Amino acid sequence: MRALIQATGASRGLALGRARLHLGRAFDIEERTVDADHIDDELQRLRAAMALAREQLGEMRDRLQGALAHELGDFIDFHALLLDDPELVSGLSELIRVGHYAAEYALKLQRDRLVAVFTSMDDPYFQSRREDLDHVLGRVLAALHRDASPPKPGMAGEVLVCDAVAPSELAQLKAEGVVAIVSATGSALSHAAILARSLHMPLVLGANELIGHVNDGDALIVDGGSGEVIREPTGRDLRHYRTRKREMQRAGEQRLRLRRMPTRTLDGSDIRLYANAESRDDVAEAHALGAAGVGLYRTEFLFLHSTELPDEESQFRNYRDLVLGMTGRAVTIRTLDLGADKADRCGLVLGSESNPALGVRGVRLSLSRSDVFGTQLRAIIRASAYGPLRVLVPMVARREEMQAVRKLLLACHADLRKEGYELPEPPALGAMIEVPAAALALHSLIDVVDFLSIGTNDLIQYVLAADRGNDALGDLYSPMHPAIVHLLHQIIATGKRHHIPVSVCGELAGDPLFTPMLLALGLTEFSLHPSTLLEVRERIRAAHLGKLRRRANSLLRARDRPALERWLARCEER
Ligand code: PEP
Ligand code: MG
């Protein structure tokens, strides 16, 4: 029977396909033992399944091509490492040998044991690894089943319905023809969601309600933008789907013509659109779409998947390639923003913090490890010899931090010159405005920064005391709050008064719904994921800046979400 489920859209796109369930209930396995004389066979079955899982990961890695290969390859390597973990392997063998359990049940017991350990740890790194564990063991389980059941057909035209999706799986799923993903958990700000947007894979999160009611093979329509999922659509739904799909296709084709057009409002003001880049694919896309440069390059991803800190040389090559990829357009490299939701494997992030979002993260961590930070700054400064480059500092709360960073930046620059590197002047240094203290006391920072970038993802979280990854908070985590609107207005106005460029680089900048609001507040620089760059450019080209600015007062007078929604709705009417 038809059912309409409203969840959270995390990567836009419209898809129709058969449901393919891949849920944690895969581990709801009944206890089964084997006779003593079959223990060796069972161990052999397990070994073969693990070998097959390893082989599949290797094939996945080999198939990766292009710019995402490097980044996704790291995730795959990590899964392969988990599979080889001696404790995992010996624990499983022991369960079979001593407990006489069948391989599937041993897998379940070992998985439950490790999940309990991970869950009991207060360490965000281990908690985030739980999902990886399920993905790896799920692969072994599927391999065990393969010899018992006929091979499953490919996934072309299917919608994956799962508990959680790992970034490492996305490219493979896309290659296998999966048309959309619906997940029970996850945040639109997670790395998996960012990658899904890079791959143009529709993704809906928080669809718990659907998970209980969907069966393998049910037809689903997935709208990754609105977060709507329709199970067993009616003829009317299908007609509507086809019409919308055609419209979207036409609009996409039309938009492609905007690639070489200026980002200019109806009344002739030029707005600068920079790109947020996660991978070399993003850089290439940003370049092709005519981005003014890269406004945010998140470097922490170089530190997330390896147990060793990346050295100066490998970081230098990465940053240099980024600069070269943008052929003379400005590139903004953000220094390490580890901590909280981004836990590393190099031992940099403190595991024992009871409140990591308020702990030693971003610039706090960098300044506490000047060896690591110095290496990163040296690599960035060396890359500045290849094209225009700026340095952006995350999680700044006070003036002293920017002063300390500048001191280190200048010292590294001087050292490098002494060592014989031919370098331009030290790069411009900017602060992310994402901690309320920095936003409220911007006057105290303004003479120690060359530019500002507003990180609305975190700013909203800290201003509203609403965890950016917690879907239980519903619409509380949102820019539709007078406090956010006023803060944005103040930051932009302060920057303008002091002739300091201000951009917004949080997800807000890439949501065309909010483009008129940001323009009305005086924003002239946006940094956004390339996947929505043309839509935002289209919105800007259809906007009259003078009229929007005249409506800024009514925007600032809005006292609640409905009033802000009405303001935005009136922009749609014009
Ligand atoms: C932000 O906080 O808005 C931001 C762009 O940084 P991140 O999402 O990496 O924290
Ligand atoms: Mg941030």
Side-chain angles (χ1 to χ4, degrees), residues 7-8 163 183-189 205-208 466-477:
T8 308
D163 291 323
S183 166
T185 57
S187 147
L189 302 171
L205 301 171
N208 259 317
D467 182 345
R468 61 194 266 186
N470 184 347
D471 12 298
L473 292 168
D475 64 11
L476 176 62
Y477 179 93

Side-chain angles (χ1 to χ4, degrees), residues 334 337 342 361 394-395 432 434 455 457-458 468:
R334 182 173 76 181
D337 187 20
K342 297 168 193 136
R361 57 167 294 198
M395 282 298 286
M432 295 262 311
E434 51 186 348
N457 302 344
D458 275 314
R468 61 194 266 186

Side-chain angles (χ1 to χ4, degrees), residues 43 46 50 83 86-98 101-111 113 137 140:
L43 284 168
L46 176 71
M50 291 185 91
L83 210 50
E87 279 197 33
L88 175 76
V89 179
S90 64
L92 282 169
S93 309
E94 194 166 299
L95 281 164
I96 297 175
R97 209 173 290 122
V98 181
Y101 292 118
E104 288 87 344
Y105 193 67
L107 209 56
K108 173 210 160 48
L109 289 178
Q110 184 71 342
R111 178 247 177 206
R113 215 185 258 173
L137 296 189
V140 180

Side-chain angles (χ1 to χ4, degrees), residues 13 40 56 109 158 162 222 314 318 325 353 365 391 402 439 451 527:
D40 284 341
Q56 288 170 342
L109 289 178
E158 296 197 323
C162 54
V222 180
S314 64
N318 187 290
E353 294 183 299
L365 180 65
V391 178
M402 284 312 288
F451 67 99
S527 188

Side-chain angles (χ1 to χ4, degrees), residues 165-183:
V165 62
S168 59
E169 294 180 317
L170 283 167
Q172 164 82 2
L173 291 169
K174 176 104 186 167
E176 286 190 11
V178 167
V179 291
I181 300 173
V182 177
S183 166

